[in-house]
Amino acid sequence: ALLDVREDGEFGEGHIFYANPCAYSHLEARIIQRVPRKTTRIVLVDGDNGIAEKSARRLSEIGYSDITILTAGIDAWTHAGYILFKGVNVPCKAFGEMVEHCAQTPHITPEELCRLQKSGHKYIIIDGRTPKEFTRMSIPEGISVPNGELVYRIHDLAPDPETKIVVNCAGRTRSIIGAQTLINARLPNSVVALKGGTMGWTLAGFELAHGETRKYGVVSETARKTAKERAKEIQDSLKIGTVSIKTLQGWQEDPDRTLFLLDVRSEEEFMSGHFPGSTHAPGGQLVQACDEWMATLGARIILLDNEDNVRAIMTAHWLKQMGWD
């Protein structure tokens, strides 16, 4: 686990690829979830100002036993000729750019979407962000369907293959991943990502909606069956495995390798009851921001869903392509 213990603002201005933002001021709140195994090899990075030493002492007090510090901090990295990356969630966003490049994910501009809304053609606007983000601001007529829910819910929302599906987020990555998720699931509909998301919509001079609460409903039996079939095809093609409770328990007791047990269902489902020791990590957000849940590279991941496993499979199909086990 490569932990950057500088403050979040400093991290955003430039950090090592795959470094995890674990600011000293938030260290205890973040470390247990992101590095759950106390014997994990940890490397700390700071601004060569003593914060890494303070962090090392605190981690030792908590029980972590394999801690080292990058000599001379982040500046030594650049002086050695290596690159720093700006922003947050960089590996996931970089992955989104690779997906768009390799899959040639189709786009629609805000101007084209505005014309589509006035054209009389069948379309639906799907917002792949979190419900909270959707309520704060959204594209007019949009419906909140977080990316992790897309394949599970879309068949009720757009049963007519003639309906064009537009997926948006705030900017780029979740629009791309959301649209490509539906394309990978072989939907018969035309699926496109909104170029620039809500930001692009605003920059094009259009008004956003605020306070909207439209969202998906209960999955019908027909839609459920179709979603399971499409997810099964993805699972088979990428050889996404399943494990028994016995295997899960064995991995939990493995002292040599970290296990992340992540529940990709909706917040309401998680709060109504979840597997002991699991963490809520809605699938769309997990693909967008792995580093908010996992700092230990090379770890095992088990995804938990309901009995249909559609959301777990669709989330796993991206995580596996990112290189996670």
Side-chain angles (χ1 to χ4, degrees):
L2 176 60
L3 306 182
D4 192 317
V5 293
R6 297 174 301 153
E7 292 306 304
D8 289 346
E10 296 174 286
F11 177 88
E13 283 302 307
H15 58 270
I16 300 170
F17 200 72
Y18 279 124
N20 192 277
C22 260
Y24 180 63
S25 59
H26 297 284
L27 187 61
E28 290 161 293
R30 295 177 180 175
I31 190 69
I32 298 299
Q33 176 182 298
R34 300 182 187 186
V35 189
R37 185 170 55 88
K38 297 290 181 67
T39 55
T40 300
R41 183 184 183 188
I42 293 173
V43 178
L44 301 177
V45 182
D46 68 358
D48 194 23
N49 53 1
I51 298 299
E53 285 78 6
K54 287 184 178 180
S55 300
R57 286 195 295 271
R58 190 70 196 102
L59 291 174
S60 294
E61 291 167 0
I62 295 171
Y64 289 88
S65 59
D66 189 354
I67 306 165
T68 53
I69 296 172
L70 179 65
T71 304
I74 200 75
D75 287 344
W77 183 264
T78 55
H79 290 157
Y82 301 124
I83 295 172
L84 296 180
F85 292 81
K86 291 196 173 200
V88 294
N89 311 135
V90 171
C92 297
K93 290 177 179 176
F95 178 74
E97 297 302 311
M98 288 183 63
V99 168
E100 181 190 45
H101 176 74
C102 295
Q104 295 295 296
T105 308
H107 287 76
I108 188 172
T109 66
E111 293 82 2
E112 290 168 334
L113 176 55
C114 189
R115 289 195 291 271
L116 177 63
Q117 288 177 308
K118 298 173 182 177
S119 69
H121 291 108
K122 294 179 180 179
Y123 68 91
I124 187 170
I125 302 170
I126 298 295
D127 193 310
R129 301 172 298 160
T130 65
K132 190 177 293 185
E133 290 174 283
F134 173 78
T135 299
R136 190 181 306 128
M137 58 180 179
S138 61
I139 306 297
E141 301 180 1
I143 301 172
S144 176
V145 189
N147 274 357
E149 303 282 342
L150 279 174
V151 173
Y152 200 44
R153 311 286 181 177
I154 195 65
H155 308 288
D156 282 322
L157 295 169
D160 185 348
E162 296 300 314
T163 301
K164 191 180 195 73
I165 300 172
V166 180
V167 182
N168 81 271
C169 65
R172 287 182 56 77
T173 310
R174 285 176 289 182
S175 299
I176 295 165
I177 294 296
Q180 197 60 50
T181 294
L182 294 175
I183 293 168
N184 289 359
R186 297 195 310 105
L187 247 69
N189 307 65
S190 170
V191 182
V192 294
L194 177 61
K195 191 172 184 178
T198 54
M199 188 185 302
W201 184 261
T202 300
L203 292 173
F206 302 123
E207 293 290 326
L208 290 168
H210 301 277
E212 299 291 349
T213 57
R214 285 184 300 274
K215 63 176 292 186
Y216 57 80
V218 177
V219 180
S220 69
E221 193 54 42
T222 301
R224 183 178 174 223
K225 181 181 178 183
T226 303
K228 288 175 68 174
E229 289 171 352
R230 296 195 183 280
K232 185 65 166 59
E233 291 176 8
I234 293 280
Q235 183 177 13
D236 291 344
S237 67
L238 283 178
K239 297 180 172 59
I240 297 167
T242 58
V243 295
S244 66
I245 293 291
K246 184 177 180 181
T247 298
L248 184 159
Q249 291 170 335
W251 286 355
Q252 284 179 312
E253 296 168 3
D254 186 346
D256 298 319
R257 192 173 180 193
T258 297
L259 173 69
F260 290 106
L261 193 57
L262 304 176
D263 191 318
V264 299
R265 298 174 301 160
S266 69
E267 184 177 8
E268 294 83 359
E269 289 171 286
F270 180 80
M271 294 301 293
S272 69
H274 53 267
F275 196 92
S278 64
T279 301
H280 183 230
Q285 286 305 105
L286 180 58
V287 172
Q288 164 77 5
C290 290
D291 53 4
E292 293 183 15
W293 282 272
M294 305 178 292
T296 310
L297 301 177
R300 289 188 179 105
I301 301 173
I302 294 181
L303 302 180
L304 299 166
D305 196 355
N306 65 12
E307 65 274 15
D308 296 328
N309 264 338
V310 172
R311 293 167 291 190
I313 291 167
M314 298 312 300
T315 303
H317 112 279
W318 287 126
L319 294 180
K320 187 165 185 178
Q321 292 179 81
M322 286 182 185
W324 290 99
D325 182 2

